[in-house]
Amino acid sequence: MMDITEIEEQAALDKIKSGKRLDGRGLKEFRDIKIETGVAKKAEGSAKVTLGDSKVIVGVKFGVGHPFPDTPDEGILMVNAELGPMASPNFESGPPGKDATELSRVIDRGLRECEALPLEDLCIEEGEKVWKIMVDIHVLDHDGNLMDASALGAIKALKEAYMPGYEDEKVLRDQEQEFKIRKVPIACTVGKIDDKYIIDPDLVEEEIVDGMVTVTWTEEELCSLQKRGNGGFKKDELLKIFELAKEKTTELRKIIE
Amino acid sequence: MMDITEIEEQAALDKIKSGKRLDGRGLKEFRDIKIETGVAKKAEGSAKVTLGDSKVIVGVKFGVGHPFPDTPDEGILMVNAELGPMASPNFESGPPGKDATELSRVIDRGLRECEALPLEDLCIEEGEKVWKIMVDIHVLDHDGNLMDASALGAIKALKEAYMPGYEDEKVLRDQEQEFKIRKVPIACTVGKIDDKYIIDPDLVEEEIVDGMVTVTWTEEELCSLQKRGNGGFKKDELLKIFELAKEKTTELRKIIE
Amino acid sequence: MMDITEIEEQAALDKIKSGKRLDGRGLKEFRDIKIETGVAKKAEGSAKVTLGDSKVIVGVKFGVGHPFPDTPDEGILMVNAELGPMASPNFESGPPGKDATELSRVIDRGLRECEALPLEDLCIEEGEKVWKIMVDIHVLDHDGNLMDASALGAIKALKEAYMPGYEDEKVLRDQEQEFKIRKVPIACTVGKIDDKYIIDPDLVEEEIVDGMVTVTWTEEELCSLQKRGNGGFKKDELLKIFELAKEKTTELRKIIE
Amino acid sequence: MSENKELLKNGKRIDGRGIEDLRDMEAEVGIFKRADGSGYFRMGNTEAVAAVFGPRELHPKHRQKPKRGILQCRYNLTPFSVEDRKRPGPSRRGKEIGKVSEGALSSIVFLEEFPTATIDVYMEVISADAGTRCVALNAASIALADAGVPMKGLISACAAGKIEDTPVLDLKGEEDKDGQVDLPIAMNAETGDITLLQMDGMTDIDEMDEMLGLAVKGCKKVAEKQREALMKTFEDSK
Amino acid sequence: MSENKELLKNGKRIDGRGIEDLRDMEAEVGIFKRADGSGYFRMGNTEAVAAVFGPRELHPKHRQKPKRGILQCRYNLTPFSVEDRKRPGPSRRGKEIGKVSEGALSSIVFLEEFPTATIDVYMEVISADAGTRCVALNAASIALADAGVPMKGLISACAAGKIEDTPVLDLKGEEDKDGQVDLPIAMNAETGDITLLQMDGMTDIDEMDEMLGLAVKGCKKVAEKQREALMKTFEDSK
Amino acid sequence: MSENKELLKNGKRIDGRGIEDLRDMEAEVGIFKRADGSGYFRMGNTEAVAAVFGPRELHPKHRQKPKRGILQCRYNLTPFSVEDRKRPGPSRRGKEIGKVSEGALSSIVFLEEFPTATIDVYMEVISADAGTRCVALNAASIALADAGVPMKGLISACAAGKIEDTPVLDLKGEEDKDGQVDLPIAMNAETGDITLLQMDGMTDIDEMDEMLGLAVKGCKKVAEKQREALMKTFEDSK
């Protein structure tokens, strides 16, 4: 006997095999996206992304700290994600688990590899004091594809962020200095079901895909990849997926800018 | 069918409704109180409070540490409470839970709000080194009303404490400097059952009260409040409770001084 | 009814009572010992000890850190042991439990009490910077007597270790300075079953002994003792056990040197 | 608490409010899909969301109560809700507020209808400008209603306080920082039962009388806003 | 990633390898007694051991799946496997690699044959000189085979990368540190199914094509080494 | 361990004791209400309390043993028991002492009478001036008796040591700090079975013989004090 989840999964599967999706979308279509900024009033930058029924809020805070020993004159980027018990009946309180850790690390690499942030400009005193940019991803409601929603939220919050002043060992948050990001990395997750590829899998679809790849593109370059889930992909499939992701991230880029 | 605990609770309830208590006390009477000092020989001050069958030991240690950035010339007060597995068959090992945290924070506020301790006098080197006063509450046996017992123990241990010397970056515990507290905050917990108010609820009574309020008074002023448990109080009830607590803390103050 | 473990335990017990052991060894005989060095290429010294089917790898790393306040001109020795889930179906992930903690502390005391390491020579800048010698014991496969295997591995890895260079606040691992240990503490665990004493108990035997004593000898002196398990020993038994351990550690010493 | 700023001038507060004025409020019900109930509440620059799950089975089982359910609260500040980023994870302050929130909400839920079960209330503060526990409770209360949990009433919360020796309603950040007393309460606005009460600062019974009076009035206004939001959802869903 | 060293000279790499050469490899099966299966793998100076326990009952029970087993991976660096001693205990990097390793290995195990069970795979890196997750997976894959777990094939892993604008196979430490792209993959060498894929660095689709091609070739060579070691054990046990 | 103080002068120790003298002792049984058994023990300035709960069901169930109960010990220093405040929470030293205490106490309890159960022994050191594990065990032993747990005897503990090349009994703080050997033992004073034995420092077999002899004598005196306290409680309860 099948329980409700299984029935729903089966229905989603049948639909996709026929080239459609349960919620009426095309296979290569994102759900509705809404991005609001300035939502966290104490953050230097923030964005709330609603992707279908998934909701993610990203806040950017600046702080001052010690540089890493191997980059004494560079600022520090920290990305953290919380998948708290609010977001899903299946989540528990506690330190970030494997899912939250993967989420934050993929977003981190997307930003870091393309050098989206001008970390070299964020040194206050070489070897002693540098700016720390702390990007916190907080998942409010989990209905699938948190990766793409979080990547969008992170880059949008960073684009909106100002840099506070710093004087006499104090961070002055009422002074707003310009802070310019250099690249806009955008993630697109592509799932595979038999010979079909789908974009932006929702929670049910994440359960039924053979596998997924989260592909992060800047305008021109591929800057991070992460295969997720259990299945496998042939090399040629992957190349097609990268192309597809490029096309879709180009669409998303318009919303962000 | 009722188990033993329920039978005991019912008996306590019936008794209180008739204006008496299971152990023969009046509604507004504390259990026997015994306070011993100098019980922890390595502490700069210590007190053991026996309140009926509840037993709490409080130790005060001085140490030297960095001041908080916003009070660079003030000493630091830290209050911690441990409700370890020794004190009750229901307690488990581990970091302080909600009950222990509430206990320590209520005692902390009682001391802090009335400025009982001369923290401004405890600076060694501005912005660099200040005295830390560490008050540790250790519950040995839990038979109810740990709040009042702990508050008594904390202020008594502080009254007994001396301040060590400090030279050449070393704390000299064989030098005893005077250390004077300025106020004596005392807590009194009042429980409500129907239209009755009881003082110093024991463990069984804590289970049956509609709600409790822990009221902390100095000689003249109300310096901290904490409503506990599930029930509610009307505004006028609260004002009566504050008065009652004032009367009872005045009695307790005599024991302490 | 007995399960397989119990049958095995009973067989081991019967055998020992008849003066023999299940694997054919004599009562006072170690299992085969194999020691390989240089097994962890990033460690300054390492040794893998195979004792029967028990396998332990020990790595030595040098680092630079603050001295302890009471020994401002001495290097620091740290011994840590991990009994991870790889080594036994009964082990779980998580911070070191009681067994791992005991293991590391007994090895630590064996090295520390006889002053095997020249910690006084490891000061870089008094009160500020000293060398830290970090000995990590990693249990790969647990078939009993991890104590003796780990003690052997630790002293062997330390004997093989070089000390890196240090210049301009950097540890230079391609410079190899001589680092000489002064004593060779060796542990021997003796188990008691009725009136029999056995050396090097394997996993099954550890379950059936009345008790065990881990005795650590340098060439001439007893430098650490640890009674383990539940049983008791008469004073005279202990003295015999210390003698026996001296004899056996003298044998092991030949393998190490 | 010290007084180095001028917080009151001609009966007006730094943001122009009078002594008995609440900050402007916003409330929304049913904001999340996965939770059984959810709500958003804002007072001035303090805002919080809450999600409710349950009644559902309590784990581990030995914590279940045979004759009634329990209500558990988690109160959390998001890392970016405060001036200096807050490290994620439980804080002592958060644990205490979780506990007093359980006390505040438990009394209005018919827990005896759910033996062995738990109702889990998760509150997240999105931005913190004083009054966070009150705002979080206001969101939690409408989230409980949204979840369809049988309730005896709504819990409405706000704080009174004292600045420049004057009792005022609903402190905002600067007032809280430089004020003399902070008195958060939560109340069943219909019955007048005060189910959360905490107080820091030095005061006496007469002042308490006055401040409690203000806070009670404030809670009633909060209740109106909560009911309005619940009504709107109810109408929308028709 | 920056390029301050000369990593390529006349088509030769710092250790004398050509662009398509793997480091020398070593593999051994069945190295532990207590584990149900175990393996050792080395590529150059990177080496790892793996132990497999199970299929066995999964605890706590509420995590059991009624229709299939699960495969859980723990990836860990021993404290002495890196330049500066690593503090014991889980790291963020280790958690992520554990997760992608589960994804890489789960697809080749017939998990549907073990409802409610778990197969636990523990990987320990003994020395780390780039490519640790690949080497650990290579050890884990032969450990699974050694445990007699029913499998659809072997997982073989290696990384391609880009140094001085040139795609190369199997980066070693210095190449990884100063290189431009790191592209670890894991593959079922028989079917060509790529079950782990991660990538750091900036590249485009043509380069990806080239690097993936190299990596696929590398995995096939790894598979030979793994099969050789398994065969040896098989023969020894006859 | 170094020797920079004069610890012995004309056969007298810094506190006037002779070589074979214990510090003064105090013992009390049944000090707590909630615990099933409890005890207090003091030797000089070292004092500890212990509480015993059980036999009671062991959780989680998969740790239960079908044929015998287990005895679990927690040893803890209160934060104010030492010179510099000790951070609350488990320490490596405390874990080890917990384990050897389990070994010391388990052998005198008829654990086979309580299959699947646990007996939990909690020891808290109130002030620490050397010999803490011995004093804690002395308190634990009378707490077990107070709990009515069926026992084969009492465990009595004390340490011998070496200062200025002389074996002495029951080191106090300064002697422990500047002494050469510390040898804590625990013993069933009736049978002479030594159930805890640890040793730090450099010694040989002859000295061990002498120190063990001293320690055994010390344990017998401790046992008298314990029996006296138990007898008193027994008489009181008549």
Side-chain angles (χ1 to χ4, degrees), chain F residues 15-200:
Chain F
D15 55 359
R17 280 187 291 158
I19 275 163
E20 303 203 359
D21 293 343
L22 291 173
R23 291 174 283 181
D24 65 303
M25 293 181 284
E26 199 179 338
E28 199 181 337
V29 178
I31 56 173
F32 300 143
K33 178 189 181 188
R34 303 296 311 283
D36 297 316
S38 55
Y40 164 85
F41 207 91
R42 181 178 65 76
M43 294 177 86
N45 280 333
T46 296
E47 48 186 345
V49 291
V52 169
F53 291 86
R56 60 183 180 185
E57 205 185 357
L58 175 61
H59 291 286
K61 290 203 171 183
H62 72 260
R63 289 188 52 225
Q64 295 181 354
K65 303 220 166 175
K67 304 205 170 161
R68 60 200 306 269
I70 65 166
L71 182 149
Q72 303 184 98
C73 288
R74 180 184 189 257
Y75 165 96
N76 188 50
L77 292 174
T78 55
F80 44 76
S81 64
V82 285
E83 288 294 312
D84 294 323
R85 182 201 184 235
K86 187 201 160 277
R87 232 170 177 323
S91 69
R92 282 163 51 100
R93 177 178 176 272
K95 276 190 197 173
E96 185 194 0
I97 296 182
K99 181 160 199 283
V100 293
S101 299
E102 284 166 11
L105 296 173
S106 293
S107 63
I108 54 151
V109 174
F110 290 97
L111 290 169
E112 55 282 10
E113 294 187 13
F114 315 109
T116 75
T118 179
I119 294 171
D120 294 313
V121 179
Y122 302 113
M123 303 178 278
E124 294 282 340
V125 174
I126 302 301
S127 66
D129 187 49
T132 55
R133 80 197 66 186
C134 295
V135 171
L137 274 171
N138 291 335
S141 180
I142 55 179
L144 278 167
D146 183 40
V149 171
M151 286 158 76
K152 302 169 195 165
L154 274 180
I155 285 298
S156 309
C158 79
K162 181 168 74 165
I163 55 175
E164 302 190 3
D165 296 321
T166 311
V168 298
L169 188 58
D170 186 25
L171 305 181
K172 77 186 294 290
E174 296 92 323
E175 292 175 333
D176 185 33
K177 196 160 165 283
D178 295 314
Q180 297 156 309
V181 172
D182 183 28
L183 175 76
I185 75 165
M187 189 173 97
N188 179 334
E190 266 165 78
T191 63
D193 278 323
I194 294 170
T195 63
L196 177 143
L197 170 77
Q198 294 184 291
M199 195 272 291
D200 296 352

Side-chain angles (χ1 to χ4, degrees), chain A residues 34-41 43-50 55-61 135-140 149-161 256, chain D residues 80 126:
Chain A
K34 196 171 102 188
I35 304 180
E36 298 158 84
T37 55
V39 290
K41 290 166 189 73
E44 277 81 75
S46 64
K48 186 170 146 196
V49 176
T50 306
K55 280 196 178 60
V56 167
I57 184 165
V58 181
V60 172
K61 291 295 301 175
V135 178
D136 279 285
I137 298 161
H138 209 86
V139 179
L140 297 172
S150 300
L152 266 186
I155 195 67
K156 186 66 181 176
L158 284 162
K159 276 174 75 81
E160 296 296 313
I256 283 284
Chain D
F80 44 76
I126 303 300

